[in-house]
């Protein structure tokens, strides 16, 4: 009888112990799974925050680049309004007004190393074609020397002389001649 009581007790206790063991194991598994899920969620949240921050930084950089490009375009448009320097008769010496104009161009070119220019030298029609080509080149080189001394890279500058071939003004008056004695900065 004693044995029957022990056997009945075991029959009742064994399933309870099994259920309790499974329940405590499930809690451990559930807690580990919950911790794992929380860690994955935190990692996903961090990745999303980082991606959002990178996107915002890229957008800000793009806006800065667009603003800089617009500013450069405005500066260039302003410089192109004042791209001619004039010379006295039969000389390649720069006047003070020419130096003021060239200083602005030099500042822009120094700040924008990818920008290049062609300096065109021109003359009025007095003198022989050969002399005028040489004088136009001296004028263009005078402008080039000023820009180089102001810090512009030589790789940004090229020089060409047109002599009397491309007049700005036709005519034989001193006013027409004065308009043709020039150096022109042409941005590429």
């Amino acid at each position: 009888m004693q044995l029957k009581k022990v056997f009945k007790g075991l029959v009742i206790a064994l399933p309870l112990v099994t259920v309790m063991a499974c329940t405590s194991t499930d809690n451990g598994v559930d807690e580990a799974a919950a911790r794992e899920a929380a860690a994955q969620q935190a990692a996903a949240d961090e990745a999303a925050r980082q991606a959002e921050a990178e996107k915002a930084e890229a957008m800000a950089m793009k806006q800065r680049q667009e603003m800089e490009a617009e500013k450069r375009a405005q500066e260039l448009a302003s410089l192109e309004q004042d791209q001619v320097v004039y010379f006295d008769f039969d000389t390649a010496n720069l006047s003070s007004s020419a130096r003021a104009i060239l200083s602005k161009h030099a500042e822009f070119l120094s700040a924008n190393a990818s920008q290049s220019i062609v300096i065109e030298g021109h003359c009025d029609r007095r003198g022989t074609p050969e002399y005028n080509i040489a004088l136009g080149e001296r004028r263009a080189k005078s402008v080039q020397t000023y820009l180089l001394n102001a810090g512009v890279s030589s790789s940004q500058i090229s020089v060409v002389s047109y002599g009397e071939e491309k007049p700005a003004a036709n005519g034989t008056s001193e006013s027409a001649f004065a308009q043709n004695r020039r150096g022109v900065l042409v941005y590429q």
Side-chain angles (χ1 to χ4, degrees):
M1 185 134 178
Q2 195 61 315
L3 190 57
K4 266 186 173 183
K5 284 185 181 183
V6 171
F7 185 68
K8 275 185 183 180
L10 280 176
V11 170
I12 293 174
L14 188 60
L16 284 175
V17 171
T18 305
V19 168
M20 286 177 63
C22 288
T23 304
S24 66
T25 303
D26 286 344
N27 283 343
V29 169
D30 287 344
E31 287 176 20
R35 281 194 301 273
E36 179 68 25
Q40 288 175 350
Q41 184 63 41
D45 290 346
E46 180 61 29
R49 278 193 298 274
Q50 189 173 7
E52 190 65 32
E54 289 173 0
K55 182 179 177 183
E57 185 177 329
M59 187 175 280
M61 180 181 279
K62 182 179 178 184
Q63 286 176 340
R64 279 193 303 272
Q65 289 172 342
E66 288 173 353
M67 287 174 56
E68 289 172 3
E70 184 177 325
K71 180 181 175 188
R72 249 190 328 272
Q74 289 173 349
E75 288 176 5
L76 186 57
S78 172
L79 289 172
E80 287 177 341
Q81 298 296 319
D82 203 11
Q83 66 189 51
V84 179
V85 294
Y86 294 97
F87 293 90
D88 289 333
F89 175 71
D90 199 28
T91 183
N93 297 330
L94 294 170
S95 65
S96 60
S97 63
R99 291 175 193 273
I101 291 169
L102 293 176
S103 292
K104 294 175 189 174
H105 288 276
E107 183 179 327
F108 177 78
L109 289 166
S110 294
N112 297 285
S114 64
Q115 187 69 56
S116 63
I117 60 166
V118 175
I119 303 169
E120 300 176 348
H122 298 273
C123 299
D124 60 35
R125 66 183 189 165
R126 296 177 284 185
T128 65
E130 295 83 14
Y131 180 80
N132 285 340
I133 288 289
L135 180 57
E137 186 169 345
R138 284 196 313 271
R139 287 175 174 167
K141 291 214 181 258
S142 177
V143 171
Q144 178 187 31
T145 300
Y146 184 88
L147 293 175
L148 291 173
N149 289 337
V152 179
S153 171
S154 62
S155 65
Q156 293 177 267
I157 304 172
S158 58
V159 172
V160 64
S161 174
Y162 290 110
E164 63 188 73
E165 295 174 14
K166 294 186 175 186
N170 291 319
T172 57
S173 68
E174 182 53 38
S175 173
F177 288 154
Q179 289 179 39
N180 292 330
R181 297 187 304 258
R182 67 196 191 282
V184 181
L185 285 78
V186 180
Y187 283 84
Q188 301 293 307

